[in-house]
Amino acid sequence: DIQMTQSPSTLSASVGDRVIITCRASQSVDSWLAWYQQKPGKAPELLIFKASNLETGVPSRFSGSGSGTEFTLTISSLQPDDFATYYCQQYNNFWTFGQGTKVEI
Amino acid sequence: QVTLRESGPALVKPTQTLTLTCTFSGFSLNTNFMSVSWIRQPPGKALEWLALIDWDEERYYSPSLKTRLSISKDTSKNQVVLTMTNMDPVDTATYYCARSSDPAAAGPLDYWGQGILVTVSS
């Protein structure tokens, strides 16, 4: 199984901050990586696919980068609606999620 | 408009078999590159992918759960059914179904159902 490790697990930030979340794979997943946002009591929503492609309708302050085993999700200027938990997911070999990163005030 | 909705029991007893149905609209599982996955999330914990079925009837299961899972589709009813045998309290979770439509690789889940909380308790 490919293991996905996110860091940090929790991130304290303020509105307007630049936020970076890291996701590491236990082996190469090429660029087959997605990022999701989940708010309490809601289903996850797709933000980024194939490491750096923005899903339709997702604000441009979200961006993704990386390939192989190291990936990042960047929020350029944190907005009140962005306080949530973020998950990475690899889909190179089956499908595995990271443990999540909670972005809180 | 793409929608998915999970249905099934809210409570099952240990050792019982869970059957969940995902009813979807706005797309067809006969269309190339379409797939539906099941994912679960225990309370306060991370997401765990369980199973996937695609337009070509290919089925994939989580290696750690494959002996307990079965996924099938009924394209005439626009439904995907997941069964999980020998349920245990650790299987208590919100179960989601979700769609992938990426022609490059079945992976990014672009539409999700609202989820159904299944509690395993005697």
Side-chain angles (χ1 to χ4, degrees), chain A residues 1 32 34 36 38 41-46 48-50 55 87 89 91 94-100, chain B residues 39 41 45-49 52 60-64 96 102 104-110 112-114:
Chain A
D1 293 14
W32 303 116
Y36 300 85
Q38 186 179 34
K42 300 292 187 183
E45 294 185 0
L46 178 65
I48 303 279
F49 63 95
K50 207 175 178 188
E55 174 70 352
Y87 292 94
Q89 175 213 13
Y91 50 103
F94 289 90
W95 297 263
T96 318
F97 291 91
Q99 84 278 15
Chain B
I39 304 98
Q41 186 173 38
K45 296 189 177 181
L47 301 162
E48 179 183 21
W49 174 80
L52 177 148
Y60 303 90
Y61 298 101
S62 166
S64 61
Y96 296 99
D102 192 335
L109 301 163
D110 55 4
W112 293 63
Q114 63 188 15

Side-chain angles (χ1 to χ4, degrees), chain B residues 27-35 54-56 73 99-104:
Chain B
F27 68 99
S28 170
L29 251 186
N30 282 332
T31 302
N32 285 3
F33 313 120
M34 292 294 176
S35 64
D54 71 14
W55 85 97
D56 207 22
K73 65 173 181 169
R99 183 195 85 160
S100 178
S101 60
D102 192 335

Side-chain angles (χ1 to χ4, degrees), chain A:
Chain A
D1 293 14
I2 298 178
Q3 308 301 318
M4 307 300 292
T5 304
Q6 291 180 231
S7 60
S9 296
T10 305
L11 189 157
S12 296
S14 301
V15 173
D17 284 354
R18 181 181 180 87
V19 168
I20 298 174
I21 299 169
T22 299
C23 178
R24 289 188 173 88
S26 58
Q27 63 190 77
S28 176
V29 299
D30 196 0
S31 293
W32 303 116
L33 185 108
W35 288 96
Y36 300 85
Q37 178 193 70
Q38 186 179 34
K39 295 180 180 177
K42 300 292 187 183
E45 294 185 0
L46 178 65
L47 299 174
I48 303 279
F49 63 95
K50 207 175 178 188
S52 60
N53 293 270
L54 201 65
E55 174 70 352
T56 303
V58 174
S60 58
R61 63 181 179 273
F62 292 93
S63 63
S65 65
S67 66
T69 62
E70 297 261 346
F71 302 87
T72 59
L73 173 70
T74 301
I75 309 173
S76 60
S77 178
L78 196 67
Q79 298 302 300
D81 192 47
D82 302 337
F83 290 96
T85 300
Y86 294 84
Y87 292 94
C88 62
Q89 175 213 13
Q90 68 83 18
Y91 50 103
N92 180 66
N93 185 344
F94 289 90
W95 297 263
T96 318
F97 291 91
Q99 84 278 15
T101 295
K102 184 177 182 181
V103 177
E104 60 183 23
I105 299 174

Side-chain angles (χ1 to χ4, degrees), chain B residues 65-121:
Chain B
L65 292 168
K66 66 180 298 183
T67 60
R68 299 174 54 204
L69 295 173
S70 178
I71 191 169
S72 62
K73 65 173 181 169
D74 184 334
T75 51
S76 66
K77 294 182 180 179
N78 280 352
Q79 290 181 335
V80 171
V81 175
L82 179 78
T83 62
M84 179 179 290
T85 61
N86 195 24
M87 293 292 285
D88 183 271
V90 299
D91 297 313
T92 294
T94 296
Y95 288 75
Y96 296 99
C97 61
R99 183 195 85 160
S100 178
S101 60
D102 192 335
L109 301 163
D110 55 4
Y111 286 90
W112 293 63
Q114 63 188 15
I116 181 170
L117 176 61
V118 178
T119 300
V120 184
S121 175

